[in-house]
Amino acid sequence: MTMTRRGLLNAMARLGGAGAAYEALVLFDFLKPPPAMAAGLALPNDAGKGRTVAILGAGVAGLCAAYELDRAGFDVVILEASRRIGGRSLTLRRGDVLKELHTPAQLCEFDEGQWLNVGPGRIPHHHVHVIDYCRQFGVALQPYVFTSRANRVHTGHVGNGRTWQMRQAVHDLQGHIAELLSKCVSTNGIDLPLTKTDIEKFQNLLANFGGLTKSAQAGATRYSYKNEFGRAGFERSHGVGNKPLVPLNPVALDDILRSDLWNDFIFRDGEIQWQASLMEPVGGMDHFVRAFGRQSLRRQTGTIDGLVRFGAKVTAISLGNDRVTIAYDDSGSARTLAADFCISTIPMPIFKGLKTNLSAAYMAAARNLPVEAAGKVGWQAERFWETRDQIYGGISWTTDTIRQIWYPSSGFLGRKGVLTGAYMYGKNAEVFNARPVEERLHIAREQGERLHEGFGKFVEHGVAIGWDRMEHFRFAWADETDPAFGGNAELLATPQGRFHQAGDQITFWSGWQEGAIISAWEAVKSIDRQVNPAVKRG
């Protein structure tokens, strides 16, 4: 039987997930990796001379578009419904107020210097546009620890609930798989065209991959998984003299399979979005947003954030042949703004309800774009996860409602830190977010106990956010895995005369700042083509 590239890719995907298949595609030159640096737009500084652009929304896409348009000579105004820049890129600090719809306001009471990213929390290594802007603007980055073998996994599907260290779940499963493969390759008459030497090498590979124990039985070599080498952890990991290390007994394969932990948790770092290295701005994701805001304007005094009109809630959009007119509410006063072009980054759950003269098909696409909710809980706490559990960064996973606990990737050995004590999405998040804040915090505290005994007595100053309940957003991201996404996103990304759409919600990087920037670039380039149709850009 001949192994084809297609067969190898399929096998890579089954064994290593999307990330392994991605790397194999790159190896075969079927997929080009992104360059290490994003090639800038580099539009001439007079490309938009005398032209105006209204940008709706001061999130990452809106700020990026404003920055690039200003450099190209356009006059820009940003209408922002809230009282801050950043959109869903939100970092909470002491004194910040978080207000959901129909819910009492929450005051962040973290100690000075502590912070929680309630929106984007990490930057993958291949998000070259975000990284390059950080480079340009001097935003310091630090490693974001996505996974540690000391992290924990909890399942409610085995017995009355079981909690293991990540290393035990991963390496025990790996060992059991290797043992099964070893038995298969040892079967007489197996129809793989392998020589005896090939089989011996493969057996050695499996033994190394799974930490198998080699033994001789009835004159034949056998391999079995016993965690003899302690990859999955130790019952006793220290001692002197005649007190050797004592490896943990392996978790039974049946228990691991029934746990459901393998389905979404323990292999997540194999996916391209989560592969090392991941990064985060030092001191919080809002430093990336602030960097856009403080950039000086090219042709006048002031900065990008000075272009923003806060509290400007868009109510209607009228597209004409030579301009776009936007109606908005300014703290109770009705106002209008006319511009040569418009870029909307308004979240689709809000945009779809606006009064517009855009085509029926376009507005139907806005209504039909599938979106998802997400929710988070944050806690300040003494760093018990370091002092008791030897956890320095990464994520613990559970089949319970809270799904995840994130540990900070900075401030190691400090006295306190901030945990993301819950992170869920989809229908699970909608149900969770609909509960009163105190009930959400109670659930997060209770379920945190199943991952860390005594969790409830360590955590303090809890905050909860439901993105589908935030007045100016009402969603977390578009669901690009839904079959309805592609066609609707394609139409929404198509310029409607002088009206353009931007935001991660119309990209396949939905929920990521990289998607916001890519979409902003496309909108800016489209406007440039309309203003300068005879010019060919590189």
Side-chain angles (χ1 to χ4, degrees):
M1 180 178 69
T2 302
M3 175 63 78
T4 66
R5 287 180 170 185
R6 182 186 299 276
L8 179 58
L9 285 170
N10 287 337
M12 292 288 283
R14 286 193 296 272
L15 288 172
Y22 175 92
E23 299 298 343
L25 285 165
V26 170
L27 180 66
F28 291 147
D29 262 352
F30 291 142
L31 183 66
K32 296 294 184 183
M37 292 178 62
L41 281 177
L43 298 178
N45 59 16
D46 62 349
K49 185 177 180 180
R51 302 302 182 101
T52 57
V53 182
I55 297 175
L56 313 183
V60 172
L63 293 171
C64 177
Y67 172 80
E68 295 295 348
L69 287 167
D70 171 74
R71 263 103 191 110
F74 290 86
D75 291 317
V76 178
V77 174
I78 306 175
L79 301 182
E80 169 55 47
S82 74
R83 297 289 177 180
R84 63 174 183 83
I85 63 172
R88 283 165 291 143
S89 186
L90 173 61
T91 301
L92 292 182
R93 304 175 187 279
R94 184 176 184 82
D96 287 341
V97 176
L98 181 65
K99 180 69 172 70
E100 298 176 343
L101 287 166
H102 316 301
T103 302
Q106 302 173 69
L107 176 65
C108 181
E109 298 181 295
F110 299 157
D111 293 351
E112 291 291 345
Q114 302 292 344
W115 47 268
L116 172 71
N117 291 325
V118 293
R122 47 229 170 179
I123 302 171
H125 67 275
H126 52 88
H127 285 193
V128 294
H129 296 79
V130 175
I131 293 170
D132 201 40
Y133 277 121
C134 289
R135 183 181 291 111
Q136 291 180 48
F137 299 160
V139 178
L141 298 178
Q142 64 188 19
Y144 174 91
V145 181
F146 181 75
T147 187
S148 161
R149 291 297 188 245
N151 294 151
R152 296 187 166 201
V153 287
H154 172 81
T155 175
H157 305 318
V158 177
N160 293 322
R162 293 281 300 277
T163 301
W164 303 304
Q165 279 191 313
M166 179 77 79
R167 65 168 54 92
Q168 190 172 15
V170 170
H171 289 296
D172 282 354
L173 179 57
Q174 193 168 297
H176 288 307
I177 290 173
E179 181 178 338
L180 290 173
L181 286 171
S182 176
K183 291 176 180 176
C184 289
V185 80
S186 299
T187 302
N188 292 331
I190 192 167
D191 60 353
L192 289 175
L194 298 174
T195 66
K196 181 179 179 181
T197 300
D198 289 335
I199 292 175
E200 288 176 353
K201 289 180 177 179
F202 188 56
Q203 286 279 25
N204 290 333
L205 180 151
L206 290 175
N208 185 272
F209 170 78
L212 301 183
T213 297
K214 183 178 180 180
S215 61
Q217 299 177 12
T221 301
R222 295 286 184 267
Y223 294 85
S224 59
Y225 176 64
K226 300 178 180 179
N227 188 34
E228 179 184 4
F229 308 109
R231 291 183 183 179
F234 294 91
E235 191 75 43
R236 185 177 70 221
S237 59
H238 56 276
V240 296
N242 64 351
K243 296 183 175 64
L245 304 177
V246 179
L248 287 167
N249 289 326
V251 177
L253 177 59
D254 182 59
D255 282 349
I256 297 176
L257 296 178
R258 286 193 295 116
S259 74
D260 208 35
L261 295 171
W262 52 270
N263 193 28
D264 190 39
F265 302 161
I266 62 177
F267 297 135
R268 185 67 73 88
D269 59 347
E271 297 181 18
I272 184 64
Q273 298 97 319
W274 317 119
Q275 289 173 23
S277 300
L278 285 89
M279 291 163 282
E280 63 179 359
V282 174
M285 191 63 75
D286 58 346
H287 288 295
F288 178 58
V289 171
R290 293 178 186 179
F292 267 113
R294 67 171 175 260
Q295 298 308 304
S296 298
L297 299 176
R298 173 160 284 180
R299 293 179 299 106
Q300 56 183 307
T301 59
T303 55
I304 292 296
D305 57 10
L307 303 175
V308 182
R309 297 182 186 178
F310 292 105
K313 185 177 180 180
V314 174
T315 56
I317 299 170
S318 178
L319 175 62
N321 292 328
D322 60 351
R323 67 181 56 202
V324 183
T325 303
I326 299 99
Y328 65 99
D329 179 281
D330 182 8
S331 302
S333 298
R335 302 189 187 281
T336 59
L337 172 68
D340 295 318
F341 300 92
C342 177
I343 300 175
S344 174
T345 70
I346 297 173
M348 219 52 67
I350 297 173
F351 178 84
K352 68 183 182 183
L354 297 180
K355 180 181 178 181
T356 79
N357 66 342
L358 295 164
S359 73
Y362 191 87
M363 295 307 294
R367 290 190 296 273
N368 294 328
L369 187 76
V371 299
E372 284 202 335
K376 283 186 177 180
V377 168
W379 302 104
Q380 178 176 282
E382 302 282 343
R383 289 179 173 259
F384 66 86
W385 55 92
E386 295 177 3
T387 58
R388 298 198 322 167
D389 304 314
Q390 300 82 53
I391 291 175
Y392 297 89
I395 299 174
S396 288
W397 304 82
T398 174
T399 59
D400 287 341
T401 302
I402 63 171
R403 303 298 279 177
Q404 305 175 27
I405 291 180
W406 300 7
Y407 309 92
S409 295
S410 60
F412 298 137
L413 311 185
R415 180 166 167 256
K416 291 186 178 181
V418 174
L419 296 170
T420 299
Y423 180 43
M424 72 288 293
Y425 34 86
K427 295 297 182 183
N428 185 39
E430 290 181 26
V431 174
F432 184 79
N433 296 342
R435 299 176 183 272
V437 169
E438 285 304 319
E439 191 173 332
R440 283 181 255 170
L441 296 179
H442 173 76
I443 293 171
R445 188 182 291 108
E446 184 180 65
Q447 295 184 359
E449 288 276 349
R450 299 171 191 170
L451 284 161
H452 295 282
E453 185 178 352
F455 183 89
K457 69 181 181 183
F458 290 111
V459 297
E460 60 185 0
H461 304 321
V463 291
I465 183 170
W467 280 105
D468 55 319
R469 300 176 62 81
M470 296 296 286
E471 179 181 5
H472 304 301
F473 307 100
R474 301 182 205 168
F475 85 132
W477 53 72
D479 181 8
E480 75 273 15
T481 66
D482 190 303
F485 174 80
N488 290 308
E490 179 72 18
L491 178 52
L492 292 167
T494 302
Q496 305 296 296
R498 293 170 177 263
F499 178 83
H500 301 73
Q501 196 82 237
D504 61 277
Q505 60 189 342
I506 58 169
T507 77
F508 274 89
W509 285 120
S510 187
W512 296 93
Q513 294 172 114
E514 184 78 355
I517 291 175
I518 290 171
S519 71
W521 279 29
E522 289 303 310
V524 170
K525 289 189 289 186
S526 178
I527 291 174
D528 176 58
R529 287 193 295 268
Q530 290 177 303
V531 173
N532 304 290
V535 178
K536 301 297 183 183
R537 307 286 188 210

